[in-house]
Amino acid sequence: MVSGSSDHTIKLWDLGQQRCVQTLAVHTDSVWTLLASPDFSVVYSGGRDRCVYRTQLANRTCELLLVEDAPIHDMVFDSQSSALWVATASSSVRRWEVDEQLASGLQPRASIDRASVDMQRLKQQPADGSNAFLAGSSTHARQRQQQDRGAKVQQQHPTHETSGIPPLVQSAVLTDRRHMLTKDAEGNVELWDVTTGAVEERFGKVDFGQKEAELFAPESVPPWFTWDTKLGSLTLHFETPQVFAAEVYAHSMGLEASSEDEKMNIGLETLQGLFATWTQAIALQQAASQETPDPNQPAEPQQPPDPNQPANPQQPPYADGSTGPPSTSGRGPFDYTGAPYPPLVMSTLQGPGQPWDQQPWQMCVSKFTGTEPRNSMIPKWLCDAVLARRIPSVKETKAGFLLMPAQGSGLPSLLQSKLTAPRILPVHKVAAYCQSKLAEQSYHMQLGVVWWYSDKQQENGEAQQQPQGDVLELTCNGMAVPYDLSLAAVRQYIWKRSDDPVLQYRRQNSNKPAPMPTIKPAS
């Protein structure tokens, strides 16, 4: 048996004697893959140093065959020639022609012990510039690197290359917890939408950090998923109860809402979108079992279809038989029914005390049949969320704050200064509440024009129109509070403390309004 290790060596083992019989110091870094000839006389090796060597085990003679552009992960012989297929850390697989003729054996003097073979190897380097050398038994990385600089590589270029998709090497989640920025091995930067599993915008080869700073927005959404790019692709991890931690307004997701205050749970809608094929299959099976005809009863005549009523076969009823609230799954940002279909991988922490202890599995979202066993293949918490829209209680959905008059403003205090509201409540609703309560005390004031996003000003028609009379101004830490920020964002980016934020109201001084806050992304 032959093995490679992180100490840069290749070892030959005698399984009968259960010991190492030969050590070959060939590489200058970790050895990751080995390939032996059918008669086990020659070993091909590759690894982190990006080099492929051919070593004759009988006489320890090594040849540098090729140098790849990335660390080498695997090799295989071509079935129809003497070529090698080499797979590296990049996304491409290359075919290299290899000279079948072995290099002449280089024999060290018998008086030289194994520990000094490295020095002998340097002396035995052929004068004709051949790429063959004698492998020692101990590693001298500096001597090997110095030797390989002048070594002649047998193959300079591959004869064929099968290109793949460049792997992702860098990623970051944006503050809305919906979009992610990624960078692949070729330097291309892309913006992904988690709620669709697709690329939303491609920026090309730009600076990743600079683009992340450009896309920064002062939003505060709890983290509801984790992610990694270990496999070169974007992988999201959903765990209960964290996946249900984030709530947003439906209109902020670009969805039609029955009211401006309609909220939705991003994690719940995402799971329902991912398992839409499964729930539809279950609903169809239940409908088929309930519609079994009685042979003793005459069949009812079928009504002709209403031409004014469009058919919608993609919207089956809920699997639990209830109508439920209007679901956004399958519409807009939560539609995963189009190709390419994302795969789902189910796994669990196995051990004592774990209620669900099954083998992990993987399936494409379009391959569900509805016959998958519940509570075993699919855990109970996921069945409750997808089939019945039952989720654990979400913590910290409310935010407390103080609403008080600014010192010297001459405005009265409200009857209730300590308030509690949803953490996603926009500040313009707080301003409207303050305006109405002051009006009840005969202090009539207009709302000011304070928006963080310029498009909000245009939507509200306030960019060119200034309010008349006394203008109500909200401040926090001496800075104006933009109306389009949420209470959670005010606490994170303006208040910057763990206790409840204090919002103060006053008459706006048109000559000296409160300064806008300076909000920058975290370094």
Side-chain angles (χ1 to χ4, degrees), residues 448-510:
V449 184
V450 185
W451 300 97
W452 179 265
Y453 300 102
S454 58
D455 57 341
K456 290 290 185 180
Q457 290 184 345
Q458 297 175 2
E459 291 176 5
N460 290 271
E462 298 170 349
Q464 295 83 19
Q465 181 180 354
Q466 295 294 331
Q468 302 295 325
D470 290 339
V471 177
L472 179 66
E473 183 178 59
L474 291 183
T475 63
C476 180
N477 274 346
M479 293 175 288
V481 182
Y483 286 173
D484 43 357
L485 265 61
S486 66
L487 291 176
V490 171
R491 178 176 178 176
Q492 178 176 347
Y493 297 107
I494 302 179
W495 184 245
K496 299 180 181 179
R497 290 164 54 179
S498 59
D499 55 343
D500 293 340
V502 177
L503 301 183
Q504 295 181 325
Y505 53 90
R506 66 181 185 183
R507 293 183 178 89
Q508 186 184 58
N509 186 345
S510 59

